Amino acid sequence: MSQIPAELKYVSSHEWIRDEGDGVVTVGITDHAQELLGDVVFVDAPEVDSEVDAEDEIAVVESVKAASDIYAPLAGTIIEVNEELEDSPELVNTDPYGDGWMFKMKLADAGDMDSLLSADEYADEIAED
């Protein structure tokens, strides 16, 4: 059974979002998503300072099974990427909610966080998979 931390927000495309305050969020893929992908072998991170819209394809995760697009959960600007994933992409598998985070972004509108799924709502969605 996948871990779904209650303090995070989620989107249906399997990204998690942690509110860091001041309109900044950290984004990664969920435990469920990394289980579906299998062993992650490469992460193509978004470019720092790029402006993105919600649902834009901004990164790619490659595993032994397939490549999967990563989407911006909300509109904003990428302010940091997890450079550790370049040398250690397996962090996505071993610690998806910690060291396996993918990027940080400054939201265009922090109020957009209200549109994201709660842990219970995300759990209901993946139960239907």
Side-chain angles (χ1 to χ4, degrees):
M1 175 127 192
S2 300
Q3 294 180 20
I4 306 172
E7 70 275 14
L8 301 178
K9 294 289 194 171
Y10 301 88
V11 290
S12 297
S13 53
H14 307 295
E15 289 85 8
W16 58 261
I17 299 92
R18 180 176 37 240
D19 187 353
E20 305 292 355
D22 294 332
V24 173
V25 297
T26 301
V27 180
I29 65 169
T30 65
D31 189 36
H32 176 73
Q34 69 82 21
E35 286 176 356
L36 292 174
L37 283 167
D39 294 336
V40 173
V41 295
F42 180 75
V43 176
D44 183 17
E47 291 196 27
V48 173
D49 294 331
S50 59
E51 292 187 17
V52 299
D53 288 323
E55 301 180 16
D56 279 357
E57 297 172 6
I58 61 170
V60 176
V61 174
E62 292 183 23
S63 72
V64 294
K65 291 182 180 175
S68 182
D69 292 324
I70 305 299
Y71 300 92
L74 299 167
T77 303
I78 305 300
I79 60 170
E80 184 179 351
V81 298
N82 185 353
E83 294 179 3
E84 282 189 58
L85 296 180
E86 189 172 312
D87 293 329
S88 303
E90 68 276 5
L91 290 172
V92 173
N93 295 115
T94 59
D95 194 10
Y97 299 112
D99 291 340
W101 66 276
M102 297 197 167
F103 58 90
K104 294 184 180 188
M105 59 187 298
K106 178 83 173 172
L107 300 179
D109 182 352
D112 290 346
M113 288 287 291
D114 295 338
S115 66
L116 302 175
L117 300 172
S118 69
D120 288 342
E121 291 168 328
Y122 180 69
D124 289 345
E125 284 210 4
I126 64 173
E128 296 171 8
D129 284 349

